[in-house]
Amino acid sequence: MNGPHTDYYFCEELLSPDEKQIRDEVRTWIDSRYLPKAADYFEQGIFPVELIPEMAQMGLLGFKLNEYGGRGKNNVSFGLVCQELERGDSGLRSFVSGVNSLVIYPIYAFGTDMQKQRWIPELMAGKKIGCFGLTEPEAGSDPQSMRTTAVKNRGGYVLNGRKMWITNGSIADVAVVWAKTQDGQIRGFLVEKGMPGFSARLIEHKFSLRASVTSVLNFDNVEVPEGNLLPGTEGLKSALICLNEARYGIAWGSVGAAIACYETALNHAKSRIQFQAPIASFQLVQRKLVRMLTEITKAQLLCIRLGRLVDEGRARHTQISMAKMSNAHEALKIARSARDILGARGITLGYPPIRHMLNLETLNTYDGTEDIHILAIGRDITGINAFSCEPTSAQAGSRK
């Protein structure tokens, strides 16, 4: 699904002409507009906000919507977009998949017509930026234990609490925030930039997802009008639906990162001469390359089948969990192998594997750790709950 070296099972034949055209469009943009500066963005810890209008112009925000001027494309096409964006960098894919899956989607799925008309066109045009606030310092894999509260008053709700590891938080104009009401129900709220008591602080000194804005959100008696409640949200399951959307994008994005690492390692191995021969001629190096390509091929097939199931409305959340869990795990191993093949060069940003390797450490953890997904799938296939307690939210995982 990428180049001739990474489409070992002819997955290209499983894609429609429209799906391939969309992938190639994003691939060309990544190659020309992002990759030349990717190392600088990562090293300097910068998310390139100047590229947001270009992504909006390509229709990457609100990509699957038919309404509001969206491109109305299917889930396989969106997966290919995520693959190519992450071939650039996880931070770029996190921005696009976050805006689509965790901001536009909940407003579209759970919001009022007025909320949709106000926010979705602006978000799709890149004129407004959104974020998703679920994870807290004390509630990552167990979001049911969140401490952020929403107390009813005459005009709406008063929010108090804190959210942690929030992508886009410091640059967001609106935050989709999940909080517990007085009756213990978890509801979604639209908290707007500038509301008294609402603040966002950038998390610095990260070694992963450096080219992404990651923040802490604080709510100190923030008065949120009744009209900012997402009325369709019903308990934590609404937040989990959003996370399923996000995990789907991560499953595809992991493939893009793996492809970038494998192709770099392959090209280096064929040109690096040691002991009067290219290191690609050594048995141990070939073993690594074969293992990398095999896992990429398995991940590609997993993603395409999952995408078709999602488009048919037949995908289950545990199937999405399996793809996210497996692909992120294997992509991280591929990045480490690629860095190893590159030798000393592998620790420099002149080559992408170290950057992808550090980013994939986060992908393997956020939107549900590998362990949490294993337990969710294990419960599904055995019918036995192996969680230490009975968290109906166990599939939720943590969100960065």
Side-chain angles (χ1 to χ4, degrees):
M1 289 189 299
N2 198 57
H5 298 305
T6 53
D7 189 13
Y8 208 70
Y9 265 41
F10 311 124
C11 293
E12 188 86 358
E13 298 175 4
L14 304 176
L15 305 177
S16 71
D18 187 58
E19 290 163 350
K20 287 186 276 191
Q21 180 180 345
I22 289 168
R23 179 205 57 197
D24 292 345
E25 174 189 344
V26 179
R27 177 184 299 167
T28 299
W29 183 81
I30 286 292
D31 288 344
S32 63
R33 298 291 293 136
Y34 192 84
L35 285 179
K37 295 184 177 180
D40 293 333
Y41 294 141
F42 187 89
E43 186 169 29
Q44 297 169 26
I46 295 172
F47 175 74
V49 293
E50 67 274 11
L51 296 182
I52 294 175
E54 296 183 31
M55 292 187 282
Q57 183 65 33
M58 288 192 292
L60 301 187
L61 309 178
F63 183 79
K64 294 187 289 183
L65 290 185
N66 288 298
E67 300 95 326
Y68 307 104
R71 292 187 68 169
K73 300 300 182 180
N74 66 6
N75 282 279
V76 171
S77 295
F78 182 65
L80 291 165
V81 168
C82 290
Q83 171 187 291
E84 292 305 314
L85 291 172
E86 188 123 13
R87 189 173 62 84
D89 192 85
S90 299
L92 197 60
R93 196 271 311 150
S94 287
F95 175 84
V96 171
S97 63
V99 170
N100 277 283
S101 303
L102 299 175
V103 184
I104 291 176
Y105 175 79
I107 294 174
Y108 180 79
F110 308 122
T112 64
D113 288 339
M114 186 175 296
Q115 290 169 342
K116 296 175 190 178
Q117 291 166 8
R118 178 183 177 190
W119 289 107
I120 292 180
E122 296 279 273
L123 289 163
M124 290 175 62
K127 295 178 180 178
K128 299 291 184 182
I129 298 171
C131 68
F132 180 88
L134 177 65
T135 300
E136 298 184 359
E138 295 81 16
S141 295
D142 182 19
Q144 186 71 51
S145 299
M146 71 171 62
R147 300 181 183 181
T148 300
T149 59
V151 177
K152 194 82 171 66
N153 67 5
R154 268 189 293 178
Y157 295 83
V158 177
L159 267 62
N160 281 283
R162 184 164 61 140
K163 300 295 181 179
M164 190 81 171
W165 308 115
I166 309 303
T167 299
N168 299 341
S170 304
I171 60 174
D173 299 286
V174 62
V176 177
V177 178
W178 303 87
K180 275 187 179 178
T181 59
Q182 288 161 292
D183 60 0
Q185 283 292 309
I186 293 175
R187 307 295 300 276
F189 300 85
L190 298 177
V191 181
E192 301 175 37
K193 183 178 182 179
M195 284 183 168
F198 173 44
S199 62
R201 174 178 60 82
L202 185 68
I203 297 175
E204 299 179 308
H205 308 301
K206 296 181 299 176
F207 280 84
S208 181
L209 281 180
R210 289 184 52 76
S212 178
V213 174
T214 311
S215 310
V216 177
L217 306 182
N218 290 293
F219 310 94
D220 184 9
N221 291 320
V222 181
E223 295 188 7
V224 179
E226 181 76 34
N228 283 41
L229 168 70
L230 291 172
T233 54
E234 299 176 354
L236 191 58
K237 68 178 182 180
S238 299
L240 301 186
I241 292 172
C242 300
L243 287 180
N244 279 334
E245 290 275 321
R247 290 167 182 153
Y248 174 82
I250 294 171
W252 281 89
S254 300
V255 178
I259 286 172
C261 293
Y262 169 73
E263 291 188 334
T264 301
L266 177 63
N267 292 333
H268 176 77
K270 291 194 294 185
S271 62
R272 174 65 168 168
I273 306 299
Q274 292 289 278
F275 306 103
Q276 294 80 50
I279 63 173
S281 67
F282 302 155
Q283 293 177 355
L284 292 178
V285 173
Q286 287 193 7
R287 183 180 188 277
K288 292 172 185 175
L289 292 170
V290 169
R291 291 291 186 188
M292 293 161 75
L293 180 58
T294 301
E295 294 305 326
I296 288 172
T297 302
K298 289 157 64 176
Q300 289 171 331
L301 293 168
L302 197 60
C303 278
I304 292 176
R305 180 56 180 156
L306 176 62
R308 300 298 181 210
L309 289 173
V310 174
D311 281 327
E312 295 167 7
R314 296 198 292 141
R316 299 165 60 236
H317 71 83
T318 48
Q319 292 171 322
I320 297 173
S321 283
M322 179 177 284
K324 187 272 179 186
M325 171 196 71
S326 179
N327 290 3
H329 175 85
E330 295 302 331
L332 178 56
K333 289 167 61 177
I334 288 168
R336 289 170 176 164
S337 291
R339 195 226 62 78
D340 179 75
I341 289 173
L342 287 166
R345 290 174 173 82
I347 68 167
T348 72
L349 287 175
Y351 298 83
I354 188 68
R355 176 167 54 83
H356 285 297
M357 187 184 83
L358 292 169
N359 287 337
L360 285 162
E361 289 287 354
T362 293
L363 264 66
N364 202 39
T365 303
Y366 79 172
D367 279 35
T369 66
E370 183 177 348
D371 290 347
I372 289 296
H373 286 300
I374 286 172
L375 291 178
I377 298 167
R379 179 171 59 187
D380 184 55
I381 63 177
T382 65
I384 301 171
N385 179 35
F387 290 94
S388 58
C389 56
E390 180 54 38
T392 58
S393 61
Q395 311 100 306
S398 60
R399 174 68 203 167
K400 187 171 180 180

